[in-house]
Amino acid sequence: MKTKLLILATFILIFGSCKNKQEQAASVETATYDETWESLATNNKEPEWFKDAKFGIYFHWGVYSVPAFNNEWYPRWMYYPNRGDIWGGGVYEHHKNTYGSDFDYHDFIPMFKAEHFDAKEWAALFKKTGAKFAGPVAQHHDGFAMWGSKVNPWNANVMGPEKDILGDLFKELKTLDLKTIATFHHAKLGQRYANDSTNWIGKGLKVSPNSHFPYHPDLVTSTTDPKLRLLYGNLEEEEFNSYWLDQVKEVVDSYAPDIIWFDSWLDQIPENYRQKMVAHHFNSGTKNKQEPIVAYKQKDLPTNVGVLDIEQGGKTEISEDYWLTDITLSNRSWSYIKGQTYKAPDLVIRNMIDVWSKKGIVLLNISPRADGIINDEQREVLAAIGVWIDKHKEAVYGTRTHTVYGYGVAAFEKGHFGGQSATIKYSNLDYRFTTSKDKKTLYIYALGLPEANTKLPIKHVGDIGHSQSVKKVSVVGSGTELEWAVNTDQLVIQTPEAAAMDNIATVFKVEFE
């Protein structure tokens, strides 16, 4: 009997050892990236699908959509008296007068019902608009998760809508063969001033700059309730950093986004946590046979690891690397607010073309209402964008930069976060260029309707980088062939009737021998 037991124990030991070695080997095989910037820089941060995509859609939608007042930072400003500027002005007084002094941010959650949210319809809308990737703000600064989280008890799947917003939408997007993006803004959630009374509410108009919820012992933002403090970010530094990381990892593991994108304040998260986050995303994506991307703002990640995002702006010249700009369709808040107004389609499309001509990708924000309705005003603009892109899709997807981005007369406007504004007003005197991948086709965008039946000289056409001569010029969309001539360093096009061109942006296609 003892001999049999000894043989069995030996077998179990050998089998267990083999199993452990197999698991270790599998782990090594899938863990392509180490938690170092040097290792993470070996990932292809600019996969072909991303360079081809040109355009994605995301949306600011959450509990802050319920009051629909001022902007998506309502949860901060409702605790912030005497804030007099346009960004935070009036929120504290509005909240007190409308909901009362004892109504806290978490009291809005039952009012966030999203009863009209339709993931299938939204995904179809985004695809029809021309987006090649899409997804939600997974978590804004307010601490409320828009996915079915087991890490964060404050999430849309168990309260408010009682729907897995991110999961349901990702499922429909993938059905339509769209890539997915999840954006994270919760690095600002952490309460960093509990022990710094100089940064408590009442100590000036610029307190707690790196925490979303301002602190004061009398406010709910100082709560130590085990559950409630997670919503308001009142955790010790190390605990918060782990909480931050665990939520990102949960989305990556459960939903496999192609892009994870981070708002400002990512630099408040310690470097080793950022390295863990990126490594987990890259390793998980590689295991899933994806080509994962991480996007960041300012200098929050190394340039050779992630894709830089410039908020509401863009580059002034062709960039060495591909880059993103997140712009919003609305004129004020990124979230829905009452009385919101929206940009005109021609303004949005012309600025998108400028981004593409400089090696940029556009991430367009929309603003659903708390009940899950995307209003008609936004849908009309999205429809116009979709019509223009569909008509000119060969000059959008898969294009590459020319030797110059273009030229024109539009006045430069500085962006709030570097570079130029995303709302520059272009006209038919402004031109942008892109090319086909093989450089045998040049696309010339006139950012407005050119004068019909006239000779139109265009510079820089011969800069395409090869010696072939022009063989054909036509109008993208209508297919109208045009007469042309080469005059020294200019291509002179005979424009057609106005009906053969486009009021928003006419694209001329120049084909080379």
Side-chain angles (χ1 to χ4, degrees):
M1 185 68 177
K2 289 181 178 179
T3 303
K4 289 181 180 179
L5 290 173
L6 181 61
I7 293 172
L8 179 61
T10 303
F11 174 77
I12 292 172
L13 182 63
I14 294 171
F15 178 77
S17 177
C18 291
K19 186 178 180 183
N20 287 338
K21 288 180 180 178
Q22 288 172 352
E23 290 175 347
Q24 289 171 8
S27 176
V28 169
E29 184 179 343
T30 57
T32 306
Y33 301 96
D34 298 326
E35 296 170 359
T36 66
W37 296 135
E38 292 77 15
S39 176
L40 297 171
T42 63
N43 177 59
N44 179 14
K45 71 170 191 170
E46 300 173 351
E48 201 74 0
W49 74 260
F50 181 67
K51 294 188 286 188
D52 290 346
K54 306 304 178 191
F55 176 41
I57 292 176
Y58 80 137
F59 47 92
H60 280 67
W61 187 44
V63 179
Y64 46 82
S65 303
V66 174
F69 183 84
N70 197 273
N71 57 57
E72 68 284 353
W73 281 37
Y74 189 102
R76 174 178 173 84
W77 303 133
M78 64 181 278
Y79 295 109
Y80 211 126
N82 304 318
R83 181 81 184 199
D85 61 358
I86 190 171
W87 187 239
V91 174
Y92 179 85
E93 293 78 11
H94 167 83
H95 184 80
K96 183 178 178 180
N97 293 334
T98 307
Y99 302 101
S101 300
D102 296 328
F103 192 101
D104 285 301
Y105 185 60
H106 60 270
D107 294 319
F108 280 119
I109 294 175
M111 302 165 69
F112 177 43
K113 298 183 183 298
E115 62 268 31
H116 297 294
F117 170 64
D118 185 336
K120 186 173 184 178
E121 194 275 331
W122 283 25
L125 172 65
F126 300 158
K127 182 167 185 175
K128 190 173 182 180
T129 304
K132 292 296 185 180
F133 59 94
V137 168
Q139 186 176 163
H140 202 247
H141 309 318
D142 67 333
F144 189 82
M146 296 293 283
W147 70 91
S149 178
K150 293 180 173 58
V151 176
N152 183 352
W154 302 92
N155 71 80
N157 199 44
V158 298
M159 55 182 67
E162 297 186 358
K163 300 172 185 176
D164 186 347
I165 301 298
L166 185 150
D168 291 350
L169 182 61
F170 269 28
K171 178 182 176 181
E172 299 299 338
L173 292 169
K174 291 175 182 180
T175 298
L176 296 177
D177 199 30
L178 296 184
K179 300 290 187 181
T180 55
I181 182 171
T183 76
F184 296 93
H185 311 239
H186 65 302
K188 189 176 172 64
L189 174 67
Q191 182 51 255
R192 299 177 171 95
Y193 301 99
N195 299 316
D196 178 8
S197 61
T198 64
N199 263 297
W200 290 357
I201 280 296
K203 298 297 178 73
L205 294 180
K206 295 183 179 180
V207 298
S208 63
N210 293 320
S211 293
H212 192 55
F213 289 103
Y215 189 91
H216 192 279
D218 295 338
L219 296 177
V220 72
T221 58
S222 69
T223 181
T224 57
D225 177 88
K227 180 179 177 181
L228 200 55
R229 70 193 186 105
L230 295 174
L231 181 68
Y232 292 103
N234 192 28
L235 289 76
E236 293 295 329
E237 182 179 7
E238 197 66 23
E239 185 183 7
F240 174 75
N241 293 333
S242 295
Y243 182 58
W244 171 87
L245 177 62
D246 287 346
Q247 292 186 80
V248 179
K249 290 172 71 173
E250 182 178 49
V251 170
V252 169
D253 291 341
S254 301
Y255 306 100
D258 296 290
I259 306 173
I260 55 174
W261 178 106
F262 294 87
D263 201 359
S264 303
W265 293 281
L266 181 61
D267 64 337
Q268 297 299 304
I269 302 298
E271 183 178 48
N272 63 319
Y273 280 88
R274 284 178 276 157
Q275 290 170 325
K276 289 177 186 292
M277 173 271 292
V278 178
H280 186 78
H281 176 50
F282 285 179
N283 284 322
S284 178
T286 301
K287 182 180 178 181
N288 294 330
K289 302 190 185 307
Q290 296 171 283
E291 297 176 283
I293 295 170
V294 60
Y296 68 97
K297 290 186 177 179
Q298 287 89 39
K299 298 180 180 180
D300 293 352
L301 291 176
T303 57
N304 57 358
V305 170
V307 174
L308 174 66
D309 179 279
I310 302 173
E311 182 176 326
Q312 293 278 53
K315 300 272 188 174
T316 56
E317 297 288 341
I318 295 176
S319 173
E320 182 177 342
D321 297 322
Y322 277 83
W323 54 282
L324 272 164
T325 178
D326 61 315
I327 61 175
T328 183
L329 201 59
S330 51
N331 284 316
R332 266 192 68 194
S333 171
W334 289 73
S335 65
Y336 176 79
I337 59 172
K338 297 179 182 72
Q340 181 68 278
T341 59
Y342 304 95
K343 300 178 177 74
D346 57 350
L347 179 70
V348 177
I349 292 170
R350 290 169 187 171
N351 277 274
M352 288 170 69
I353 292 169
D354 178 75
V355 170
W356 299 334
S357 74
K358 297 169 181 175
K359 207 181 281 189
I361 312 292
V362 175
L363 178 59
L364 179 66
N365 173 74
I366 62 172
S367 311
R369 293 186 339 202
D371 59 6
I373 288 178
I374 300 170
N375 63 17
D376 290 342
E377 294 93 330
Q378 292 179 84
R379 286 178 179 271
E380 289 170 5
V381 181
L382 295 178
I385 293 171
V387 167
W388 188 91
I389 288 181
D390 185 62
K391 178 181 176 182
H392 302 92
K393 53 182 174 287
E394 72 164 278
V396 177
Y397 308 120
T399 55
R400 297 294 183 264
T401 55
H402 187 35
T403 54
V404 294
Y405 69 83
Y407 62 96
V409 300
F412 171 80
E413 296 176 23
K414 188 176 181 180
H416 292 296
F417 300 92
Q420 66 182 41
S421 167
T423 58
I424 291 177
K425 294 177 175 59
Y426 295 104
S427 72
N428 62 1
L429 298 178
D430 297 295
Y431 300 93
R432 295 294 180 266
F433 302 112
T434 65
T435 74
S436 59
K437 291 183 184 180
D438 62 8
K439 302 296 183 181
K440 291 184 178 179
T441 303
L442 176 69
Y443 297 104
I444 304 167
Y445 309 78
L447 304 184
L449 183 65
E451 186 178 346
N453 301 312
T454 188
K455 294 187 184 302
L456 178 64
I458 301 174
K459 299 184 288 187
H460 300 294
V461 172
D463 297 346
I464 200 156
H466 57 68
S467 59
Q468 290 101 318
S469 58
V470 175
K471 71 173 181 180
K472 182 180 176 181
V473 179
S474 60
V475 180
V476 175
S478 69
T480 304
E481 291 194 29
L482 305 177
E483 295 180 5
W484 55 272
V486 175
N487 183 5
T488 315
D489 62 343
Q490 294 182 333
L491 176 68
V492 181
I493 295 172
Q494 180 67 35
T495 61
E497 299 288 341
M501 298 186 286
D502 192 280
N503 286 322
I504 292 177
T506 296
V507 185
F508 299 110
K509 179 180 181 180
V510 181
E511 298 175 67
F512 294 86
E513 297 286 357

